[in-house]
Amino acid sequence: MSPNPRRRETLIALGLAAGPVVALGFTRFAYALLLPAMRGDLHWTYAQAGGLNTANAAGYVIGAGTAVLWARRLGDRAAFAGALAVSALALLLTATTADYPVLSLLRFVGGLATAVSFVLGSALAARVATGGGQRRAALLVALYMAGVGIGVVLSGLLVPAALAVAGDAGWRAGWLLLGVVAVLAVGPALLAVRWVPAAAATPGAGLPRADLARLAPTFAWYVLFGAGYVSYMTFVIALLRDQGLGTSGIATFFVVLGLASAVATLTVWGRVIGRLPGGRAPALVSVLVLVGVLPVLLLPAGLPAALVSAAVFGSSFMAGPTAATVLARRALRAGGWTAGIALLTVAFSIGQGVGPLISGALSDSGGVAVGLWLSVALLAAAGLVALRQRDTVAAEAPEPVAALRR
C-alpha cells in the first residue's frame, strides 16, 4: 500500500468499489438487460418480471435492516467480504434454473447479501478519510459509489454478447458471465478492506431519536427516489426493445449509462455534494434523474434519444446514494454511521421494492411507457421533499482512529 496517505485512501476506496460493482452493477441493474430475454424465453408478464425485482428488493430491505447485526456478530470487514461472496454465488446459481419460485428465492438472497455488502461498504468508505474534512470524505465515498457505473459498463458489454450468440435463451450465459466476474471482484475488495481505518470507539453509539428526526426529510426523499429511479432501470430496456432498438443499440445505451455514472461520480458529485448544504444535493440529483427519464418518453424513438437519456440519467442516478451517505456522515456521530446508513438504505429499498411492482402493473395495462411515467412523478415528488432537509451537524463527530490493519 502506498506510503502517501491520500493516495492510500484513494486506493482503499477504489478497492472497496468492487462491492457496488457486484451489489448494484450486476445483481440489481444487469437485470434490466436480462429481463426482456427472460420474459421472452420464460413467457412472463411485466407484473411477473417486476415481481422478481420486488423479491430482490425485499431481500435488500431485510439485508439493510440487519447489516448492523451482521457487523456486530462478524465484524464489519468480515461481514462485508462474506456478503459479497454470497452475492457472487447467487449470480452464478441464477444461471442454473428457469423455475420462477427458485429464481425469486435467488433474487431475494442476492438482494439480502448485496444490501449487507453495500451498507457496510458505504460505512467503511465513509471512514477511509483520516483528514481533509467533509469534502475529502465525500470524494472518497463518491469513489466507492463509482463501482456501480463500472459494474453497469461491464454488464453492458457481457450480457448483450451472450444474448447475441443465443438470443433470448442466452440469459443463462449472461448470469453466468456476471457471476464469474463477481467472483473475481471479491479479491480487490478483500485487499482493500484490510486497510480501512478502525472504527472510532464511541460510547453510546446508538442512534438517538433526535438524530433520526433531523434526517426525516432525507428518509422520505430516499423512499421516493428509490421507487422512481429503479422503475426506469427495471423497464427501460423493455421500452427500448419495444421501440425497435436492437442488441447493439441496447448494449451501447447501457455502456454509455455506466460510463456516465462512473465518470460523473468520480469527477463531479463528490465535490458538489460536499459543498451543497441541507437537502439541496438530493433535490438536484432527483431533478437531473427525472430529466434523464424524459428523452425516451418525449423524443422520437431511436438511438439518439436513448443515448441522451443514458448520459443524463447515468451521470446523476448514483449521486443519490452518495448524497445519502454524506448526509448521514454529517448528521451522526462516527459510531452511528453504519446504523444510519443502514436505516437510510432500508428506506431506499422499500422504494425499490414498491416501484417496479406498481410500474410493472401499469405497464401491463397501458404499455411500458405508462409505467415509466411513474418514475417521473415519483422523482418530482422526491425533489420537493428533499428541499425540506436542513443542514444538520452531530453534537459530537470525532474522526475515526487512523489505525490501519493489515
Side-chain angles (χ1 to χ4, degrees):
M1 188 65 66
S2 169
N4 183 307
R6 291 218 159 193
R7 186 181 178 191
R8 182 184 61 216
E9 290 171 355
T10 299
L11 291 174
I12 292 170
L14 289 174
L16 292 174
V21 167
V22 177
L24 294 181
F26 289 175
T27 301
R28 177 160 290 275
F29 297 143
Y31 180 59
L33 278 172
L34 289 157
L35 181 148
M38 295 178 76
R39 181 173 174 268
D41 190 47
L42 303 176
H43 310 293
W44 291 344
T45 65
Y46 283 117
Q48 285 177 302
L52 206 65
N53 215 34
T54 297
N56 181 258
Y60 208 85
V61 170
I62 295 173
T66 59
V68 175
L69 299 177
W70 289 110
R72 288 174 181 168
R73 180 177 293 272
L74 303 175
D76 51 3
R77 295 172 175 83
F80 167 75
L84 192 59
V86 171
S87 301
L89 179 61
L91 288 170
L92 289 172
L93 292 176
T94 302
T96 66
T97 181
D99 186 78
Y100 189 85
V102 175
L103 286 170
S104 297
L105 177 61
L106 288 171
R107 290 290 288 166
F108 174 86
V109 171
L112 190 155
T114 54
V116 173
S117 69
F118 185 69
V119 168
L120 297 183
S122 298
L124 292 169
R127 71 172 194 252
V128 168
T130 56
Q134 297 289 355
R135 292 184 182 180
R136 175 66 178 167
L139 177 61
L140 292 172
V141 170
L143 289 176
Y144 168 78
M145 296 295 177
V148 177
I150 296 169
V152 171
V153 170
L154 291 173
S155 299
L157 295 173
L158 295 173
V159 172
L163 298 178
V165 172
D168 283 352
W171 63 266
R172 291 177 182 270
W175 284 116
L176 180 62
L177 287 171
L178 295 175
V180 170
V181 177
V183 170
L184 297 176
V186 175
L190 285 174
L191 291 174
V193 78
R194 297 168 61 193
W195 291 89
V196 176
T202 307
L207 289 178
R209 289 185 179 180
D211 287 350
L212 296 178
R214 287 198 299 269
L215 283 173
T218 298
F219 282 99
W221 158 73
Y222 220 16
V223 172
L224 294 167
F225 180 81
Y229 101 92
V230 84
S231 295
Y232 172 93
M233 284 297 293
T234 301
F235 292 110
V236 66
I237 301 301
L239 176 67
L240 295 178
R241 282 184 55 157
D242 286 352
Q243 292 177 346
L245 210 62
T247 300
S248 62
I250 288 172
T252 303
F253 167 87
F254 224 68
V255 169
V256 169
L257 189 150
L259 284 174
S261 174
V263 171
T265 306
L266 284 168
T267 63
V268 176
W269 283 112
R271 294 177 176 86
V272 171
I273 291 169
R275 287 177 170 83
L276 290 177
R280 293 182 185 179
L284 175 62
V285 172
S286 300
V287 171
L288 290 176
V289 173
L290 184 157
V291 171
V293 176
L294 293 177
V296 295
L297 296 173
L298 298 179
L299 298 180
L303 187 59
L307 294 184
V308 171
S309 180
V312 178
F313 185 97
S315 65
S316 50
F317 78 104
M318 276 314 296
T322 304
T325 301
V326 171
L327 282 169
R329 194 184 194 277
R330 285 176 182 168
L332 306 172
R333 291 186 296 270
W337 290 347
T338 300
I341 292 168
L343 288 173
L344 282 168
T345 306
V346 169
F348 193 43
S349 306
I350 290 171
Q352 291 183 94
V354 173
L357 199 60
I358 299 175
S359 184
L362 290 173
S363 297
D364 280 329
S365 62
V368 187
V370 174
L372 289 187
W373 277 108
L374 176 66
S375 291
V376 175
L378 290 169
L379 290 166
L384 292 173
V385 169
L387 290 174
R388 298 183 61 84
Q389 179 66 59
R390 298 291 180 261
D391 239 346
T392 58
V393 179
E396 299 176 20
E399 292 290 340
V401 177
L404 298 179
R405 291 188 179 179
R406 299 192 179 198

